[in-house]
Amino acid sequence: MADARVIVALDLPDAATALQFADRLAPEKCRLKVGKALFTQAGPDIVKCLVDKGFDVFLDLKYHDIPNTVAAACRAAADLGVWMLNVHAAGGRDMLLAAHEAVGDQTPLLIGVTVLTSLHDDDLQAIGFAGDSAEQVVRLAGLCAEAGLQGVVASAQESARLRQHFPRDFMLVTPGIRPAGSGADDQARTMTPTEAIRAGSDYLVMGRPITRAADPVAVLDEINQALHQAISPNH
């Protein structure tokens, strides 16, 4: 695919397993996500190895700290050659501005995390947030847009609402994507790949439905075909 929409989450136990799995995939068919667990276990070298294999890498570390620290972390991530990285929008306007200034407007793409897809509305109320998850997502996405970030991470269930508030080039990256018939695991707000794309999502983060499949390549090909049909002008 010219613009692979699926980001495969390499939530695997160690570098060797992750690299062996990546070798089964093709860079033109998907992008890859390295999260906290794998990065903590394997370090920056895992990112460099995946980049050297030709993959676009989404470094999903959700930086959330004082502005100067987050800016330094973003610069370090950019030096690894990642395609995209994220910060947590709850860090506030000054932190978001510092992150944006650190990486600029080109590459890597910088996006903000709004509300984790594992959270329900009552979880947000317990934390002290006012309003429901959809309201919080739009509020935090607004902070990201004002700070110059290129998009946000949000549940696909909020994609249609976000499309009403932000321009089409404001990128929506959506985790919690599950093919029809698969379990939700620890995600609370999920959608199928086709539903998510039709709701306005740009990139779909998928982990266990692919990484734990008996034939991951076949599953990825099936998802890509369904997405191609969903975005075709004739559908």
Side-chain angles (χ1 to χ4, degrees), residues 1-59:
M1 298 178 72
D3 183 21
R5 301 295 191 100
V6 176
I7 303 174
V8 178
L10 293 180
D11 297 329
L12 298 167
D14 53 55
T17 304
L19 292 173
Q20 288 171 4
F21 185 84
D23 284 339
R24 303 175 66 182
L25 306 176
E28 65 272 15
K29 292 186 177 182
C30 66
R31 293 172 161 94
L32 301 178
K33 181 178 82 72
V34 173
K36 287 187 176 70
L38 182 58
F39 191 83
T40 300
Q41 197 281 333
D45 285 347
I46 184 67
V47 176
K48 295 176 183 177
C49 286
L50 294 170
V51 171
D52 287 345
K53 289 178 180 291
F55 286 99
D56 285 341
V57 176
F58 170 25
L59 186 60

Side-chain angles (χ1 to χ4, degrees), residues 29 34 36 45 60 65 84 112 140 152 162 164 189 200 219:
K29 292 186 177 182
V34 173
K36 287 187 176 70
D45 285 347
D60 177 26
D65 212 309
M84 183 164 65
L140 292 174
V152 292
L162 287 167
Q164 295 174 359
R189 306 193 316 283
V219 171

